[in-house]
Amino acid sequence: MFSRGKWGIHPETHKTATADRPIESMKLPEKVIIPIRQHIGAPCEPVVKKGDLVKTGQLIAVGNAAVSSNTHASVSGTVTEIAVKPHPICGEDMAIVIESDGADQWEENIPTNRDWQAMTNEEILSIIKNAGIVGMGGAAFPTYVKLNPPKDKQIDTLIINAAECEPFLTADHRVMLEYAQSVVSGIKIMKKILGVQNIIVGVEDNKMDAVKVMREAFGDLAQVIPMKTQYPQGAEKMIIKTLLQRSVSSGQLPMDVGVVVQNVGTAAAVADAVIKGIPLVERIVTVSGSMIKEPKNLKVRIGTSFADVIAACGGFEGTPGKVIMGGPMMGIAEYTVDVPVIKGTSGILAISVKEAKKMEESPCIHCGKCVSVCPMGLNPSMLSILAEKEIIDEARDEYNIVDCMECGCCSFVCPAKRHIVHHIKYTKKLLADKAAREKGATK
Ligand code: SF4
Ligand code: SF4
């Protein structure tokens, strides 16, 4: 099933079902549920109310905090509810529900055609911020924040992350093949903002057709480097190590080693926002897995329910054992298909009962396999044991749990199918809750 490199694993890629399928635009949904929390950072605040008529691309919730992101209507229609709704990451959260009028009437002046080269960096950053652009690889970190590092950080390299190392997912692959010119424009815009000369596009070597297309599109603008297909090659720390041989130490960020990393889909979204004035109202989603009748790469409006997306792929092939948002390694199991597509939804997978059953957990047999594959050099076995016993301070201070990137390599190789990442995420949440309580007590 896998073979080990110096770090990480080699899971089956399962990409053939969708790698050659061109992106299809899904028909407009009748209703969208748009959560106010779709990004890393503070949730945004609604600026519409029940009964309001909205147009596609209209601002409906504003991110006022230093790290937050605006949210826009993804269809035209009527705001019918602002209420707690199913959420693919949080379980439930506040969302704005819009019933579509079917007309897809866009906000005035969208699309447009801007001469971005005549703009200042501040103007361009403001457009990216206002358009609600976030990292499209899944993490959904606000893009304007990453493109505006503190002045004391000397950035010399922009890495475009096109590894797409998660099994099944092919959305970035298709973006490179079908939207190469948007990616080029987005990179030129980010190059201007960051003032860097060195731009490297890292693509796993199972996508050599995309390497060819990118090289032809970029010319001298960027180096396109094929990387060994190895999970988690697309993790920021890993791709920086692979492409630049620079190590991002514990507690550091890529900007501490002079690098900004942006996903290839984010580059295309930046171009759409800056040149055409289009905010982030849709994204490419790979819909795949053994229980999906017709796997596809779909362009989907934000807020469309998983149920509608799956129906657009012919529905389920029987009863699925599990529906996952994202890839199988870092993805999140969903309790209902009523959850909406959000800005970070790179994939929707449906797997069989048998495949899901293979994930049932038993006690640790202390084989050490998880330790040997952890790209961060952690002790996942010990972290999961400490998590079960809720010994959270030791997990943080002695075993560096905060360095865990939640890649899932440890769970993947574990013969006992330990839910190590789940345990680690739970411990991190307990630590965050504790820190918040302590902060509150000192106010
Ligand atoms: S402990 Fe964290 S970083 Fe290490 S393999 Fe497991 S999930 Fe990945
Ligand atoms: S791989 Fe699983 S069984 Fe082996 S040491 Fe790690 S947690 Fe325990």
Side-chain angles (χ1 to χ4, degrees):
M1 189 74 169
F2 75 95
S3 62
R4 275 192 56 219
K6 285 182 184 166
W7 50 263
I9 55 174
H10 296 258
E12 287 172 20
T13 60
H14 294 286
K15 291 182 190 269
T16 49
T18 53
D20 294 329
R21 290 199 68 125
I23 296 164
E24 278 178 40
S25 284
M26 191 185 147
K27 75 173 174 55
L28 274 187
E30 289 175 7
K31 180 177 87 172
V32 288
I33 298 170
I34 305 181
I36 60 168
R37 190 195 299 266
Q38 300 186 46
H39 47 268
I40 289 179
C44 43
E45 293 166 21
V47 292
V48 290
K49 58 184 186 316
K50 186 178 169 182
D52 281 358
L53 297 178
V54 293
K55 291 185 175 171
T56 311
Q58 182 177 330
L59 181 71
I60 56 171
V62 65
N64 286 319
V67 179
S68 188
S69 182
N70 287 349
T71 299
H72 302 78
S74 58
V75 294
S76 57
T78 308
V79 175
T80 54
E81 259 185 296
I82 300 178
V84 172
K85 294 287 169 187
H87 188 289
I89 296 174
C90 309
E92 285 187 331
D93 209 349
M94 193 61 77
I96 298 167
V97 182
I98 303 170
E99 229 155 74
S100 170
D101 59 13
D104 199 25
Q105 274 193 306
W106 281 74
E107 177 82 329
E108 236 167 88
N109 299 325
I110 301 177
T112 181
N113 189 11
R114 294 193 184 110
D115 177 10
W116 61 270
Q117 273 145 325
M119 293 179 194
T120 64
N121 284 350
E122 288 68 32
E123 284 169 332
I124 299 173
L125 277 169
S126 164
I127 289 171
I128 293 171
K129 179 174 191 244
N130 291 338
I133 308 299
V134 300
M136 304 294 278
F141 191 86
T143 302
Y144 74 91
V145 179
K146 261 193 177 181
L147 290 176
N148 192 22
K151 297 285 171 267
D152 63 330
K153 304 292 177 192
Q154 297 298 314
I155 305 299
D156 60 38
T157 303
L158 168 64
I159 287 180
I160 299 299
N161 188 349
E164 201 166 48
C165 58
E166 270 272 8
F168 290 95
L169 304 187
T170 54
D172 287 349
H173 188 176
R174 295 308 312 178
V175 165
M176 286 188 276
L177 295 179
E178 298 181 50
Y179 298 116
Q181 282 315 314
S182 293
V183 174
V184 170
S185 299
I187 291 175
K188 284 181 179 168
I189 292 166
M190 294 193 278
K191 178 184 180 191
K192 171 174 160 54
I193 295 169
L194 293 167
V196 294
Q197 293 307 316
N198 194 26
I199 302 172
I200 310 176
V201 184
V203 187
E204 278 196 337
D205 61 8
N206 58 359
K207 294 181 266 293
M208 291 308 287
D209 53 347
V211 169
K212 184 168 178 281
V213 169
M214 290 283 101
R215 281 184 172 157
E216 282 168 9
F218 288 140
D220 294 336
L221 175 66
Q223 303 172 65
V224 182
I225 300 187
M227 307 177 295
K228 194 172 158 193
T229 297
Q230 176 167 317
Y231 184 86
Q233 187 71 267
E236 285 194 341
K237 290 186 179 183
M238 297 302 123
I239 200 169
I240 291 170
K241 185 78 181 162
T242 300
L243 296 175
L244 293 169
Q245 292 77 51
R246 295 181 194 171
S247 296
V248 182
S249 308
S250 176
Q252 280 191 320
L253 294 169
M255 65 181 171
D256 294 314
V257 297
V259 183
V260 167
V261 182
Q262 294 285 359
N263 170 266
V264 69
T266 312
V270 163
D272 280 351
V274 175
I275 300 170
K276 299 180 194 161
I278 299 176
L280 188 41
V281 295
E282 61 186 1
R283 67 155 298 136
I284 316 298
V285 181
T286 300
V287 190
S288 193
S290 61
M291 300 305 287
I292 296 289
K293 270 199 180 137
E294 203 186 336
K296 290 181 180 178
N297 297 296
L298 281 181
K299 190 187 275 188
V300 181
R301 296 291 169 98
I302 303 297
T304 307
S305 73
F306 278 29
D308 284 351
V309 176
I310 291 163
C313 296
F316 289 127
E317 192 83 68
T319 306
K322 201 176 266 192
V323 174
I324 297 168
M325 180 177 89
M329 302 301 296
M330 294 185 78
I332 296 167
E334 300 298 337
Y335 70 99
T336 170
V337 288
D338 292 336
V339 292
V341 167
I342 58 174
K343 293 177 182 180
T345 307
S346 50
I348 298 174
L349 306 182
I351 60 173
S352 68
V353 173
K354 198 171 159 199
E355 287 164 325
K357 222 175 165 74
K358 278 190 198 161
M359 298 176 180
E360 277 178 18
E361 186 174 44
S362 58
C364 173
I365 57 169
H366 305 289
C367 66
K369 284 186 176 174
C370 55
V371 178
S372 62
V373 295
C374 177
M376 299 307 294
L378 303 175
N379 184 336
S381 155
M382 185 54 87
L383 286 174
S384 74
I385 291 166
L386 292 173
E388 279 179 318
K389 295 180 178 166
E390 296 195 5
I391 305 175
I392 61 174
D393 290 339
E394 194 173 331
R396 179 191 58 207
D397 300 337
E398 307 289 328
Y399 292 91
N400 302 321
I401 195 169
V402 289
D403 286 344
C404 170
M405 62 171 94
E406 300 169 15
C407 65
C409 290
C410 49
S411 301
F412 180 80
V413 298
C414 176
K417 299 296 163 209
R418 303 269 300 152
H419 297 175
I420 303 171
V421 184
H422 170 85
H423 294 309
I424 288 173
K425 281 183 178 169
Y426 180 65
T427 305
K428 283 185 179 176
K429 184 178 179 307
L430 292 180
L431 283 165
D433 291 348
K434 186 180 175 199
R437 278 197 307 277
E438 287 170 356
K439 198 174 166 195
T442 56
K443 269 186 183 168

